[in-house]
Amino acid sequence: MGFGILFLGYIFTVFDTGILFIDSISVVFMKALSILGWIIVTVGCGKLSKYIEKFYMAKAASATLFILSAGDVVCHCLVTYKGIEISIVLRTVIYLLYAMTYFLFHFYLFGALKDVTADTGLEKENKKAKKLFYLNTVFCAVNFVSYLGISDTLTAVRYLFFIFITAVNAAFIYTCYMWICLPEDVDMKTRSEKKAEQKEGKKRKNAEK
């Protein structure tokens, strides 16, 4: 159930947008959900790393994202509730480290997804994994630059792009959950067989035409 766990956790990472809220309690709550998401993602990648090595690197990156997110929340709480001044340089460094690690996570995640879809003969999904790999690279570039605080407009674009890319990525991970059969997931064999049957049915229809 590695893909199922990964999908569940990845959905929660969208709550990283908690910073959009004005009141502090909402920000902390949303950020906490995002941290929970990275913990679940780490568990999911850990299970998948038994079969694809790149998932191990994704696991290491997601664990780092959990730590950086927790550090950001701690800084936020110290500033908001304790009145302790936190260097803007320190927080900027945390944000930039987060952006770089976020890129590494998706680099290894989609590298693993490209490998596993190729190994299982899912050509359509393999092509989509390659496209998403490049799309995520573009987002990560925008993400990194936005953390430099160059433009408020760029920051707004970053959040909209983030919600969009998270939804697209989550949908693709769910597709992998539906169609890719791992050795431990006996119940998923029927899904893989169904996929093969659908492809065979299309070939027969084309042959009849």
Side-chain angles (χ1 to χ4, degrees):
M1 298 298 290
F3 280 114
I5 296 173
L6 176 59
F7 168 71
L8 177 63
Y10 198 85
I11 289 177
F12 276 93
T13 65
V14 77
F15 290 111
D16 184 56
T17 52
I19 198 170
L20 293 175
F21 289 83
I22 298 176
D23 62 295
S24 181
I25 295 177
S26 294
V27 172
V28 173
F29 178 70
M30 297 287 276
K31 283 285 189 178
L33 289 178
S34 176
I35 291 171
L36 175 62
W38 286 121
I39 293 173
I40 298 173
V41 166
T42 301
V43 173
C45 287
K47 288 184 174 292
L48 293 168
S49 65
K50 298 176 184 177
Y51 312 105
I52 302 291
E53 187 177 355
K54 288 177 182 176
F55 276 118
Y56 179 81
M57 299 304 295
K59 171 188 172 182
S62 62
T64 304
L65 288 170
F66 150 65
I67 294 171
L68 291 172
S69 294
D72 181 42
V73 170
V74 170
C75 287
H76 176 81
C77 290
L78 288 176
V79 171
T80 305
Y81 299 112
K82 297 295 183 179
I84 299 175
E85 291 294 329
I86 302 294
S87 170
I88 187 65
V89 174
L90 175 59
R91 298 201 73 174
T92 301
V93 168
I94 291 176
Y95 293 150
L96 294 178
L97 285 174
Y98 185 94
M100 288 187 287
T101 308
Y102 189 87
F103 166 72
L104 288 175
F105 169 74
H106 287 87
F107 177 83
Y108 288 111
L109 174 64
F110 280 94
L113 293 176
K114 285 191 293 182
D115 289 347
V116 73
T117 51
D119 292 342
T120 51
L122 299 175
E123 297 178 6
K124 181 179 178 181
E125 285 74 13
N126 182 255
K127 290 179 180 178
K128 188 171 183 179
K130 292 177 181 178
K131 291 178 181 178
L132 285 176
F133 176 85
Y134 294 120
L135 184 60
N136 276 274
T137 300
V138 172
F139 168 73
C140 288
V142 173
N143 189 38
F144 185 87
V145 175
S146 71
Y147 279 132
L148 297 176
I150 297 174
S151 167
D152 291 338
T153 301
L154 181 61
T155 300
V157 170
R158 178 260 177 192
Y159 280 113
L160 292 175
F161 199 169
F162 172 70
I163 294 171
F164 168 75
I165 198 70
T166 301
V168 173
N169 289 343
F172 184 71
I173 294 170
Y174 182 76
T175 298
C176 292
Y177 163 69
M178 289 296 293
W179 300 118
I180 296 176
C181 174
L182 298 176
E184 64 181 14
D185 298 325
V186 179
D187 63 312
M188 291 180 70
K189 290 181 180 178
T190 56
R191 299 188 181 103
S192 296
E193 290 169 355
K194 185 177 179 180
K195 182 76 172 181
E197 289 174 359
Q198 288 179 347
K199 287 186 175 180
E200 187 62 31
K202 289 180 180 179
K203 288 180 180 179
R204 290 176 181 174
K205 288 181 179 180
N206 292 331
E208 290 176 357
K209 291 179 180 179

